[in-house]
Amino acid sequence: DQGMEEVTVVASTRTNQNIENSTLKIEVLDSEEMQEESTVKPSTILGIIGDASGVQIQQSNAASGNTNVRIQGLDGRYTQILRDGLPLYDGYSGGFGLTSIPPLDLKQIELIKGSASTLYGGGAIGGLINLISKKPSAQQEAVITLNQTTLKESNFNSYFSKKYKKAGYTLYAGYTKQYAVDVNDDGFSDVPQSNSFTFHPRFFFYPNKKTTITLGYNATAEDRIGGDMQLITHQKDSVHQYFEKNNISRNTGEFFVENEIKNGLRFNLKSSVSSFNRSITTSSHYFKANQLDYFSEASLVKNIKSGNWITGLNFSGNQFDIKPSDSVYLKNLKNATIGVFTQLNYTFKKKTSIELGLRNDHHNLYGNFLLPRVALFHKLTNEIGIRAGYGAGYKIPDALAPQITDYAIENILPIGPAVAPEKSSGYNLEFNYKKKWDNEHSFFINQAFFLTQINNPIIGSINSYGNIFFSNAPKAIVSKGFDTYVKWKMEDWELYAGCTYTIAERKYLSDSQFVPLTPKFRMAYMLTKEWEGKARFCVEASYNGYQHREDYS
């Protein structure tokens, strides 16, 4: 909610910036919206993220229900997803990343559209989604929800937290059972059958007033099966053979230290290790692999007169290991990146804010990547503001990066030595208008224009043997358009409206350059009426325009 209230975001900017005057446009889905979503769709946050203008939830496999998040018309691999600032969902471990994260376990979701690579690495090309976990308060909190839907889904969710003088805790545990559903009666599941369990305890220690230490563990276990409905109901025969079964487990350990060294100087340390196991079983093939992801970062935030300065060092990587499986072309792989970054935010005369950022990453296979960023916010008047920015990014070749369509694992060829990393340039220009008459009447509009160009795009092609190989296209992928957001408050009534127009094109094609499954128009509206302290009524509506399939239909 980026309307008239003052919203302060720390996790995605690392500074205590007011969201409205930030050089970086950030949209926040706050704790109230998390509570509402936990009663509407308690098993996953995909629905509430998909309601944001310019964000598209793309199902990449009907049988498994695997899904990726696309921003501003770009593929899911160009969206960086973080949990409390930790990158846990990429490559093989990116599959099913957001499908099993419940809203009850989150304080808020922070969404950045466009390049945000200085602080979080080159993968934030199309945008960034940062999931912020809850922290305990002095008052005991206990929430238990039971839910049953007409789509044959049952949920049990629980959350407990308490903060004491020197320690505190949060604990989430939840279970979801989903039966397979054939919505369009074609004999195949549109919603796979699944069972999932999530367990997420976190412990907080306060050795003094200036230091917080957090230890956490997050475990998710899930099994899914989709395909022929007759087979799923254990009536397999010579005709009904098609299915895909996935068994998934993810175990993550997390460690945070926040220390106020002295007034105006803060030290942050965070680290995580995550193990992701997934086995895939079909009527003709079995595959199992593990991806181990690790990340550590140390940073300093220094408040200076009229601004702040951030600098840090991080180390990240993953290790992909194939377990005993049927034959595949893919091989075991290791990636490791060390990065240094610095960013200055400065405000002149309370009207003009400027952000200058620079990051350098060194990858063990692909060498150095220098990523500059510059952004500006200027208040023309008390009602009108303008924001502009530029940022660079990159993406390392990965045969298992999220695609619009999931390829059969046994048909994927390894990345060849001639394939180079993708490099991006992102631009944005925005105008804000804000008018507030009193506490009951206000109007806010943000009109944004965006352009992202990805050079050396890596594309998957099918060879004569039916296998998928990857190569760099000779020309760029370009996504451009505009995004309009309106909030209008009239006493007890509030209206939110968002509209995004996107033209995403593959310039390396001679004709029909559109990016598949990308609607030009997406709109979302929400109208609410509140009787304070008594009741609330809400109507939501959304529209997705026509989109083209790969075969041009």
Side-chain angles (χ1 to χ4, degrees):
D1 178 2
Q2 57 168 12
M4 307 309 298
E5 296 86 355
E6 289 197 357
V7 180
T8 300
V9 179
V10 176
S12 291
T13 64
R14 319 258 184 124
T15 62
N16 291 294
Q17 278 190 308
N18 175 271
I19 189 173
E20 189 178 308
N21 299 327
S22 168
T23 53
L24 191 65
K25 180 184 177 182
I26 304 173
E27 298 180 25
V28 177
L29 305 171
D30 61 19
S31 57
E32 182 178 338
E33 292 174 275
M34 295 301 103
Q35 293 171 12
E36 291 181 0
E37 187 67 9
S38 68
T39 65
V40 177
K41 187 68 173 175
S43 62
T44 177
I45 57 173
L46 286 174
I48 192 170
I49 291 177
D51 288 340
S53 178
V55 180
Q56 181 180 356
I57 304 300
Q58 179 69 56
Q59 188 178 46
S60 55
N61 187 314
S64 69
N66 196 10
T67 303
N68 57 74
V69 181
R70 303 173 60 197
I71 298 178
Q72 295 181 345
L74 297 172
D75 286 5
R77 68 178 183 271
Y78 303 120
T79 300
Q80 187 156 12
I81 300 172
L82 309 172
R83 181 71 184 253
D84 297 310
L86 302 171
L88 304 175
Y89 310 98
D90 198 11
Y92 190 64
S93 65
F96 307 96
L98 295 182
T99 59
S100 57
I101 297 178
L104 184 59
D105 195 27
L106 298 178
K107 174 188 175 184
Q108 63 191 42
I109 299 174
E110 299 174 2
L111 170 64
I112 299 173
K113 300 173 187 174
S115 177
S117 296
T118 301
L119 298 180
Y120 292 105
I125 293 173
L128 179 146
I129 296 173
N130 198 1
L131 313 174
I132 311 302
S133 300
K134 290 180 178 178
K135 292 184 177 181
S137 60
Q139 185 176 357
Q140 176 72 59
E141 184 175 0
V143 180
I144 295 177
T145 66
L146 298 171
N147 180 66
Q148 177 67 45
T149 79
T150 56
L151 207 61
K152 300 181 180 180
E153 178 183 319
S154 304
N155 311 97
F156 167 80
N157 292 278
S158 62
Y159 175 82
F160 306 90
S161 73
K162 182 75 164 69
K163 181 180 180 180
Y164 302 94
K165 186 176 181 180
K166 290 290 185 179
Y169 77 93
T170 63
L171 172 63
Y172 170 85
Y175 173 75
T176 295
K177 183 175 184 61
Q178 170 73 66
Y179 290 96
V181 181
D182 176 13
V183 177
N184 58 0
D185 296 321
D186 63 354
F188 296 92
S189 63
D190 298 292
V191 179
Q193 179 175 298
S194 65
N195 292 277
S196 66
F197 173 74
T198 301
F199 179 64
H200 186 203
R202 302 178 88 205
F203 301 97
F204 301 79
F205 303 96
Y206 315 103
N208 54 61
K209 293 182 179 180
K210 294 186 176 183
T211 305
T212 301
I213 300 172
T214 307
L215 296 173
Y217 169 70
N218 198 336
T220 301
E222 185 173 8
D223 61 76
R224 292 168 169 249
I225 182 171
D228 192 299
M229 290 294 291
Q230 185 167 319
L231 181 147
I232 294 173
T233 55
H234 308 291
Q235 300 178 47
K236 179 180 178 180
D237 58 28
S238 59
V239 176
H240 299 274
Q241 295 281 326
Y242 172 68
F243 77 97
E244 180 178 318
K245 183 178 181 180
N246 284 268
N247 291 98
I248 306 157
S249 66
R250 190 191 304 267
N251 293 275
T252 303
E254 54 193 31
F255 173 67
F256 300 86
V257 176
E258 301 172 56
N259 179 248
E260 191 80 24
I261 298 174
K262 59 181 180 179
N263 290 337
L265 181 63
R266 187 172 73 250
F267 171 76
N268 294 307
L269 175 67
K270 56 186 176 182
S271 184
S272 69
V273 177
S274 182
S275 177
F276 177 81
N277 291 283
R278 178 187 175 192
S279 65
I280 308 169
T281 307
T282 67
S283 58
S284 59
H285 198 269
Y286 173 78
F287 177 80
K288 183 177 182 179
N290 169 270
Q291 181 165 308
L292 182 70
D293 294 275
Y294 48 89
F295 177 86
S296 294
E297 179 187 280
S299 63
L300 285 170
V301 180
K302 171 66 175 176
N303 292 331
I304 59 178
K305 186 178 180 180
S306 301
N308 52 72
W309 170 68
I310 310 164
T311 189
L313 169 73
N314 59 29
F315 180 72
S316 62
N318 59 64
Q319 182 173 313
F320 173 73
D321 291 316
I322 299 173
K323 303 302 180 182
S325 307
D326 293 342
S327 177
V328 294
Y329 297 103
L330 292 171
K331 306 297 182 182
N332 293 344
L333 183 67
K334 293 182 180 180
N335 288 291
T337 302
I338 185 168
V340 292
F341 59 87
T342 187
Q343 181 171 292
L344 174 68
N345 298 279
Y346 193 81
T347 300
F348 301 90
K349 298 181 180 180
K350 299 183 179 180
K351 286 191 173 183
T352 304
S353 299
I354 188 170
E355 174 188 308
L356 299 173
L358 186 65
R359 182 183 187 91
N360 188 79
D361 281 355
H362 179 79
H363 188 271
N364 64 312
L365 299 176
Y366 296 99
N368 290 305
F369 299 90
L370 190 65
L371 307 176
R373 173 171 170 78
V374 58
L376 172 77
F377 178 82
H378 177 64
K379 293 179 69 173
L380 297 173
T381 68
N382 288 333
E383 290 81 25
I384 301 174
I386 183 172
R387 180 186 288 116
Y390 161 81
Y394 73 96
K395 191 69 178 177
I396 294 299
D398 188 342
L400 295 171
Q403 306 283 339
I404 289 180
T405 301
D406 286 354
Y407 298 121
I409 200 79
E410 62 269 26
N411 295 333
I412 300 177
L413 299 175
I415 296 290
V419 180
E422 302 170 278
K423 296 183 179 181
S424 71
S425 297
Y427 306 85
N428 67 284
L429 176 65
E430 303 173 31
F431 299 92
N432 291 339
Y433 176 77
K434 175 187 69 174
K435 184 67 175 178
K436 184 176 182 180
W437 293 272
D438 52 45
N439 290 333
E440 302 296 327
H441 298 83
S442 59
F443 179 78
F444 176 84
I445 182 170
N446 172 266
Q447 180 62 58
F449 301 89
F450 60 87
L451 169 66
T452 302
Q453 177 169 313
I454 302 173
N455 297 315
N456 304 321
I458 298 172
I459 58 173
S461 306
I462 303 176
N463 64 17
S464 58
Y465 299 100
N467 296 322
I468 309 299
F469 69 95
F470 295 92
S471 61
N472 293 109
K475 293 185 179 180
I477 293 174
V478 177
S479 176
K480 57 188 177 183
F482 66 79
D483 189 13
T484 305
Y485 173 85
V486 175
K487 178 183 178 181
W488 194 355
K489 183 177 181 181
M490 302 159 287
E491 295 183 347
D492 297 329
W493 292 88
E494 288 190 18
L495 171 68
Y496 303 85
C499 174
T500 303
Y501 178 75
T502 305
I503 300 176
E505 296 176 314
R506 299 172 290 180
K507 294 295 186 180
Y508 53 85
L509 298 178
S510 57
D511 57 4
S512 300
Q513 295 180 337
F514 59 83
V515 174
L517 304 177
T518 304
K520 286 188 176 181
F521 275 105
R522 297 188 75 248
M523 290 180 277
Y525 305 91
M526 183 172 70
L527 178 66
T528 64
K529 163 71 172 177
E530 185 168 358
W531 294 268
E532 189 171 350
K534 296 180 180 179
R536 188 180 185 204
F537 174 77
C538 178
V539 176
E540 295 185 13
S542 62
Y543 169 78
N544 283 283
Y546 287 105
Q547 18 189 326
H548 288 89
R549 300 184 181 92
E550 188 72 61
D551 63 3
Y552 311 124
S553 59

